[in-house]
Amino acid sequence: MSASTITAPASRAPRGRGGAAQSVRDSLVVARRNLIRMSRIPEMIIFGLFQPIMFVVLFSYVFGGSMDVGGSTSPADYREFLMAGIFAQTVTFATAGAGAGIADDMHKGLIDRFRSLPMARGAVLTGRTLADLVQTALTVFVLAIVALLVGWRIHEGIAKALGAFALLLLLGYAFTWIGALIGLSVRTPEAATSGGLIWLFPVTFVSNAFVDTSNMTPWLRHIAEWNPFSATVQACRVLFGNPGVSTSSAWPMQHPVWASLLWSLVIIAVFRTLAVRKYRNAA
């Protein structure tokens, strides 16, 4: 008498059990794995610090004396105006690294091994994005020290400053999900790096990060004022008490803290859904 064996399709990964609690545990395990990996490759963190530091030095001392901030061309005023933009640019540029990391895991077959395990479907991506968030927070901390050394100051108290940093990290986490989707959609880490950067330059430069939007042509100014990136930069300037607070009548510029929060949550909801769906179908 022979027993028949039923084999599940290879393309269908076993589902994890335990609901939300299991999903949190799986995500933290994956995040820990990625943090250990990052700690063993310290040059990843060191090189990630060089670019924002160079932006601070170059923009502060090369362009600082020629920039008009609210009618002032003082280099000190421009340094304070600039830092909110540099902070926001730093957290968003982490997107490219996140996408490249996921694409590398895909290329090496690691994602396929994760998908074969009985774990929550979104845990791999959530864990990866949380690990990237920790690295981004470390980068922002070091960058804040550099900013203080070049003359940047906060004027609205530590509580509001912490709120500004929280909005920055939330924006960085939201954009990381865009990077995750890009990383799952391309074939190589190199393509993920290129794809992760090509859209970030217009997002960060067509904004209020480095110049006052009132100096832009009307159609470009409207784009910049409704840019999610601009909302976070504006919110940080308000919470830090730095110069350059916009007088625009656009809703995101009038209510930048709420606009920044809403934009980030919408981006997370949309791109996390798309990334998890892509992960389920990834080959």
Side-chain angles (χ1 to χ4, degrees):
M1 186 175 181
S2 61
S4 60
T5 303
I6 300 176
T7 304
S11 61
R12 183 177 300 170
R15 295 186 180 183
R17 288 176 285 210
Q22 181 66 39
S23 179
V24 170
R25 285 195 294 270
D26 291 344
S27 298
L28 292 177
V29 168
V30 176
R32 181 174 179 272
R33 172 254 176 192
N34 282 285
L35 288 172
I36 291 174
R37 180 187 179 189
M38 291 175 185
S39 68
R40 292 175 178 172
I41 313 175
E43 54 267 28
M44 290 175 60
I45 300 175
I46 294 172
F47 290 153
L49 291 171
F50 284 163
Q51 178 176 304
I53 291 175
M54 285 192 297
F55 269 109
V56 171
V57 175
L58 288 174
F59 276 83
S60 296
Y61 293 103
V62 176
F63 302 112
S66 60
M67 293 293 186
D68 186 337
V69 179
S72 170
T73 57
S74 167
D77 287 344
Y78 183 68
R79 280 195 290 271
E80 293 204 348
F81 171 86
L82 172 70
M83 281 316 304
I86 294 292
F87 284 134
Q89 185 191 54
T90 300
V91 300
T92 53
F93 269 50
T95 300
I102 291 174
D104 186 53
D105 288 343
M106 285 282 293
H107 186 67
K108 293 177 179 177
L110 186 62
I111 294 294
D112 288 333
R113 288 195 286 266
F114 277 134
R115 290 174 68 232
S116 69
L117 298 174
M119 61 192 303
R121 293 181 177 180
V124 174
L125 301 181
T126 302
R128 173 76 204 200
T129 54
L130 288 175
D132 289 326
L133 179 63
V134 173
Q135 182 179 359
T136 301
L138 177 60
T139 303
V140 169
F141 175 75
V142 175
L143 185 59
I145 295 175
V146 175
L148 290 170
L149 293 176
V150 300
W152 171 73
R153 296 292 183 269
I154 58 175
H155 305 282
E156 295 292 334
I158 190 65
K160 288 188 177 182
L162 291 175
F165 285 119
L167 288 176
L168 286 166
L169 293 178
L170 182 62
L171 179 72
Y173 183 69
F175 274 40
T176 300
W177 281 106
I178 302 177
L181 180 61
I182 293 173
L184 290 168
S185 303
V186 298
R187 296 183 179 181
T188 65
E190 292 80 9
T193 301
S194 299
L197 288 174
I198 196 169
W199 63 275
L200 281 173
F201 280 101
V203 166
T204 54
F205 282 94
V206 184
S207 72
N208 60 354
F210 307 109
V211 297
D212 189 344
T213 57
S214 63
N215 297 322
M216 298 179 180
T217 57
W219 67 270
L220 192 61
R221 183 173 66 249
H222 293 315
I223 294 174
E225 290 171 348
W226 284 88
N227 184 346
F229 182 84
S230 293
T232 299
V233 173
Q234 181 74 353
C236 289
R237 288 191 180 123
V238 170
L239 294 174
F240 288 144
N242 291 157
V245 175
S246 176
T247 58
S248 168
S249 60
W251 187 83
M253 297 296 100
Q254 290 294 315
H255 306 87
V257 175
W258 284 109
S260 173
L261 185 62
L262 290 173
W263 271 123
S264 296
L265 293 177
V266 168
I267 292 171
I268 291 172
V270 172
F271 284 93
R272 186 184 188 280
T273 301
L274 294 175
V276 171
R277 183 178 300 172
K278 186 72 176 179
Y279 170 76
R280 292 174 184 172
N281 300 324

